[in-house]
């Protein structure tokens, strides 16, 4: 009897085709997951259409209580979900647990959020106000680096605002999402949520379907372009959270002893597979060797291994394609610069990449131009600050960036010259559910989290009433 099934309405649905999900630390099969086709998408849409009229008119308090109950449900089974997440995603167990805790915090933030009415004019003669109406059926498409947090960034505001949701996890990390999907379906009215796992076959059908009002997509910039095109025929509402190539700018007054460990953590977290990880570091001449030595020492001390082992700091990268791509990028770095690598397990199985610092590499190298999405960090030397800023800002990406200095005011002034959706000062990768997150340029369109993230799931409607009789 297959264990993992699609979530369609309240039903657990099996499929003819099933797909092996591998543990990236061992390459052993964790389990098999269903592969949804267009017929399953149609069934999920039919269930959502049945649910939508009552759900979209339910009270805000009802929806808030249900969102809280999802958080309660995840918390009640956090240990088994964390173990499942580690086995399919690869991240250390403590970080899988943290991802689930953050998911609950996101749910709880949205469960207390409001949908205020905005009044433009209110007098004896008229009342003109704007309300936020749900859009309808929303597709939530998610990548494999943070399968649950990134889904909750979409699911919580979509439910709060009265939309139905069809979620699609990445093909290499569907299992925890299916488990949580069944939990959600057991709590919500039938049809409000469906979860369709696929083998990368369903994206175009979802994003072009006329019954989908909005696509909330997190993934690579290349796929984001396809989603943009695919939604054009029906002018779909889109939120695109795409790739990043975040620069960190070290100023000449930075204290390397405090900065180096933070740079290392914000570059290597989740084995570098974070959209807003630090992906290139600009360092003044005088600090270049000092930072390089400190980062290389941290790379050497890092323990890479199976995420199920409590001693592991960094798990494997998540899938074979990413592993091969990173090996190619490192080979390119070796011909164009110097690679200072830590240690990875010698095991013939598992997608392990040692944390690596790349120095003396030119700006036109692949590791600088492309998003590496792995534990490989290039250090780029600069002499003049203006030149460093120009080089930082010349990327097609503009997700996050950071400036590091012992003078906060100076750093904040310089931060405002960086072109990105978020710029941090003396920190990086700091997110909070109440603070909107968005990409500039080809890192995205629209925002997630905060009020802006709620508005993305609504149609603003102006209600214009004459109070002088009809
Ligand atoms: P990806 O673009 O390959 O896949 C993302 C999702 O899109 C998967 O579920 C995939 O099955 C689906 N998909 C594939 N083809 C599709 C199509 N034609 N139409 C619709 N959906 C389709 O990305 P990935 O490799 O899984 O994830 C890594 C990328 O995600 C990185 O670039 C990373 O920076 C980005 N990311 C961005 C954010 C952010 O908030 N900006 C957060 C996390 C990850």
């Amino acid at each position: 009897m297959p264990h993992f099934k699609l979530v369609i309405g309240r039903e657990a649905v099996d499929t003819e085709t099933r797909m092996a999900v591998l543990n990236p630390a061992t390459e052993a099969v964790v389990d098999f997951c269903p592969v949804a086709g267009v017929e399953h998408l149609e069934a999920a849409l039919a269930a959502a259409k049945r649910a939508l009229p009552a759900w979209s008119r339910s009270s805000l308090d009802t929806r808030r209580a249900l969102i809280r109950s999802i958080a309660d449900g995840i918390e009640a089974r956090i240990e088994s979900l964390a173990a499942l997440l580690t086995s399919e995603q690869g991240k250390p167990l403590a970080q899988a647990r943290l991802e689930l805790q953050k998911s609950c915090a996101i749910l709880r933030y949205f469960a207390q959020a409001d949908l205020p009415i905005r009044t433009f004019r209110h007098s004896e003669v008229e009342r003109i106000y704007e309300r936020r109406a749900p859009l309808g059926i929303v597709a939530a498409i998610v990548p494999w680096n943070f399968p649950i947090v990134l889904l909750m960034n979409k699911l919580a505001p979509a439910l709060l605002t009265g939309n139905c949701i069809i979620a699609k996890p990445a093909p290499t990390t569907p299992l925890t999402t299916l488990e949580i999907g069944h939990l959600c379906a057991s709590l919500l009215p039938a049809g409000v949520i469906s979860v369709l796992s696929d083998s990368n076959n369903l994206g175009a059908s979802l994003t072009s379907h006329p019954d989908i009002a909005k696509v909330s997509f997190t993934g690579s910039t290349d796929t984001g372009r396809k989603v943009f095109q695919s939604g054009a025929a029906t002018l779909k509402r889109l939120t695109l959270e795409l790739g990043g190539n975040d620069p960190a700018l070290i100023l000449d007054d930075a204290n390397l002893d405090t900065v180096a460990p933070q740079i290392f953590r914000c570059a290597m977290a989740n084995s570098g597979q974070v959209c807003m990880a630090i992906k290139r570091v600009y360092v003044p001449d005088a600090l270049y060797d000092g930072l390089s030595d400190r980062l290389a020492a941290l790379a050497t001390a890092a323990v890479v291994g199976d995420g199920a082992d409590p001693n592991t700091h960094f798990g494997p990268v998540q899938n074979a394609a990413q592993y091969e791509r990173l090996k190619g990028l490192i080979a390119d770095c070796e011909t164009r610069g110097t690679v200072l690598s830590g240690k990875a397990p010698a095991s013939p199985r598992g997608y392990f990449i040692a944390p690596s610092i790349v120095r003396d590499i030119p700006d036109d190298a692949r590791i600088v131009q492309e998003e590496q999405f792995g534990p490989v960090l290039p250090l780029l030397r600069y002499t003049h600050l203006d030149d460093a800023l120009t080089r930082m800002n010349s990327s097609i990406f503009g997700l996050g960036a950071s400036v590091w200095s012992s003078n906060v005011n100076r750093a904040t002034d310089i931060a405002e010259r960086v072109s990105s959706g978020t710029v941090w000062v003396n920190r990086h990768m700091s997110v909070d559910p109440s603070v909107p997150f968005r990409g500039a340029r080809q890192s995205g369109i629209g925002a997630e989290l905060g009020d802006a993230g709620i508005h993305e799931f609504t149609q603003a409607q102006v209600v214009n009433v004459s109070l002088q009789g009809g």
Side-chain angles (χ1 to χ4, degrees), residues 142-144 168 200 203 217-220 223 241-243 275 371 373:
V142 178
W144 41 257
K168 194 201 85 54
N200 250 346
F217 172 85
T218 302
S220 63
T223 311
E241 292 288 347
L242 307 179
C275 56
E371 179 188 32
F373 218 58

